[in-house]
Amino acid sequence: MFPLFNTSLIRRLFSKRRCLRVVLYFFVGLMLLWGLSNLCLSSSWVTGMLAEKVQQRTGVPCRIDRVSWSPWNGVTVRGLEFDPSETFDSGETVRSLLVVERIQVRPYWGPLVRGQLRLREVTIDSPELNLSVEWVREALARMLDGRSLSSPAPALADSRGGGSGQDRGQGADGHADGGGTGRSARSSTDGKSQGSGGDEAKGPPPARDRSSAPSEQGKPEAGLPMLVRVNHAHLRCDWHAKGLTLFELKDVDFEISLMGEDSEGQLHIGNIRGLGLEDKKAFTKVAQKLEWKRPYLQWRMDEASLAGVQVAAHIKVLCSQDVRSLKLLPFAVDLVVKPQTLASVDGLDRMAMHLSGDRVEGRLVASGLLAQPGSWRGKMHLSGSGWRLREAHGRHDVVFDDVQIPAVYRAGTLQWGGVRLVGEDVSILGNGRVSVQQGVLSVTRLVVSPEVSEMVGRGLHGAGLARNGPAWWRNLDTPDRKVRDLLLSGSLENPLVDAGYQNQQIPVWEILGKTLAFVRQEMREEGVALQAFPSPDLDQQQPDQGD
């Protein structure tokens, strides 16, 4: 009779030495597999394939230096670079669009095994984003290509005989407007406002796109928390064609926990530079609180000074645990200028000018899908009264009794209609549009008193822009008013305005450069040195005066 169990065989199979050997072989095999997988991921063939996949999704050439993974650190990508390889007429090659030293993504392994991707932690080290006006415009135009723009061409003023009655009676957004370019210009010959007309005076209602704006219905349950961390980021935006750096943010740190219970995070910015902010100490070591309130990532700024105007802002982005929702990211922006007295506007001192006002208020609202610029839309309305524009050169003051500036943005086009700055001596009225696809087209009417027309004429003659200053103006029906209609058209980089002799078109940047050079020269003769603009187009020598 044979025994049921062979005890000696069992002892041999399950001896301690054999168990340790099996465990050792198992871990050595795992380590070999892990090492081989990392070698494979770091190979040029795999990184090239991954970069090609990223390029297909983003449309921007991409390079990746190295990829690795581990059970404790997740997936790590090093040396990620997006290079659009832009070259402009000057032959200057633009910096890479985005360079990231390291990206580390740690998933939750349990849900991943079950086929659900849930991220535990995302860390981005030393990202450098270099935007340019040229690249942004081309990218937006490419994304919007094929969409029909609803903005009609703005109507010319009646003095030019252009535009239908319907166009002249409507703003650029298509709504009835008692202050359109043609009609408002004629009705303002006495320098008085005809009123802002109905709802427009109150400003447009908050823009709300039901299909894209975040909804407040319900509050989802807290999911698995995801820690998002950005270290030492650098953001810069340049206008290469004009040699300008619009803004630059250095040493940006960001950390917040999303998707889980409501929490707070921090945004730290070491330094903010931009046009007019070169010497502003208030824009160093900026700290802002971020909030995660399911399902929104929110940033609220109760009060801040923007170019001398006190503003409040509320921005929120709807976030979901589904990684695929990153293609959408609905957002909403609400920027409010509460009624206030305007003491001054920063940056105008470079032009020897000072702007103040008895009242200014406004609001800007926008919404859409962050990753789909074609869905972006918004409305803005800025109003005020008693605005005083003081010119240091010549000691001239211009007062606008009523100011109404409405604007609408939709499908890549910014439109404004019924813009009015009405005063006793100067009134400015106009409408128009700016499009990333079709450039700029606008009509502006200037209605001034004879005294102001002589002053402007002397300035145009001194700046070398007009041979005969008085002939630049045209008489209205009443002898105490002069008028000039200006048509602005062309590309965003080099718009033209018919401000020359016999309506000759002149580049806008040439007008600005010559005018600023003339003002700087006049102020220099008075012993005042104005700070130059950081742009070659705006830093010109005093022009020769015409005959």
Side-chain angles (χ1 to χ4, degrees), residues 108-364:
Y108 286 96
W109 295 107
L112 185 61
V113 172
R114 297 191 295 269
Q116 298 177 349
L117 179 58
R118 298 291 184 266
L119 302 182
R120 179 190 299 270
E121 182 178 332
V122 178
T123 302
I124 304 176
D125 290 332
S126 302
E128 182 177 347
L129 180 60
N130 297 298
L131 297 175
S132 68
V133 173
E134 293 83 357
W135 184 87
V136 171
R137 181 186 61 80
E138 293 177 6
L140 289 177
R142 201 163 50 241
M143 293 178 183
L144 296 169
D145 189 25
R147 295 179 60 92
S148 59
L149 300 180
S150 58
S151 57
L156 298 181
D158 287 351
S159 61
R160 297 178 180 271
S164 64
Q166 181 180 1
D167 292 334
R168 291 192 298 270
Q170 292 184 353
D173 58 356
H175 296 293
D177 178 17
T181 302
R183 185 163 56 191
S184 294
R186 295 197 305 273
S187 62
S188 301
T189 56
D190 59 352
K192 302 296 183 181
S193 171
Q194 293 292 329
S196 50
D199 295 337
E200 186 179 275
K202 300 177 183 179
R208 196 68 173 174
D209 181 9
R210 295 179 181 273
S211 63
S212 59
S215 172
E216 296 288 352
Q217 297 180 358
K219 191 171 184 179
E221 296 182 358
L224 297 173
M226 178 180 69
L227 180 64
V228 179
R229 183 186 297 114
V230 178
N231 301 319
H232 307 298
H234 183 195
L235 174 61
R236 179 186 179 118
C237 183
D238 296 306
W239 193 352
H240 296 286
K242 303 304 177 184
L244 286 172
T245 297
L246 301 183
F247 64 86
E248 185 176 15
L249 281 65
K250 295 182 178 180
D251 297 328
V252 180
D253 295 326
F254 167 89
E255 182 173 337
I256 191 171
S257 180
L258 306 176
M259 309 306 176
E261 297 291 345
D262 293 354
S263 62
E264 294 183 355
Q266 290 292 326
L267 172 66
H268 296 276
I269 305 176
N271 184 268
I272 301 178
R273 293 178 59 249
L275 293 178
L277 301 178
E278 290 82 357
D279 300 324
K280 301 293 183 181
K281 295 182 179 180
F283 292 93
T284 59
K285 298 182 179 179
V286 178
Q288 292 288 326
K289 182 176 72 172
L290 302 172
E291 295 179 320
W292 164 250
K293 293 185 177 181
R294 306 188 308 274
Y296 300 103
L297 172 62
Q298 304 185 64
W299 174 60
R300 190 186 302 272
M301 181 174 59
D302 296 329
E303 185 175 358
S305 178
L306 182 62
V309 181
Q310 300 300 316
V311 300
H314 184 201
I315 302 175
K316 59 182 180 180
V317 180
L318 189 147
C319 302
S320 171
Q321 288 201 2
D322 189 353
V323 177
R324 292 173 295 181
S325 67
L326 294 176
K327 300 178 181 179
L328 302 178
L329 291 178
F331 72 93
V333 178
D334 191 357
L335 182 67
V336 178
V337 179
K338 298 180 180 179
Q340 60 191 275
T341 300
L342 181 62
S344 65
V345 176
D346 298 339
L348 292 181
D349 53 340
R350 294 188 177 191
M351 298 180 287
M353 303 179 73
H354 179 270
L355 178 63
S356 61
D358 296 337
R359 181 184 63 85
V360 60
E361 63 177 313
R363 188 176 188 183
L364 182 150

Side-chain angles (χ1 to χ4, degrees), residues 34 81 114 179 182 219 247 300 314 352 388 427 442 521 542:
W34 174 64
E81 181 178 3
R114 297 191 295 269
K219 191 171 184 179
F247 64 86
R300 190 186 302 272
H314 184 201
R388 298 174 185 84
S427 294
S442 72
Q521 177 64 26
Q542 166 64 18

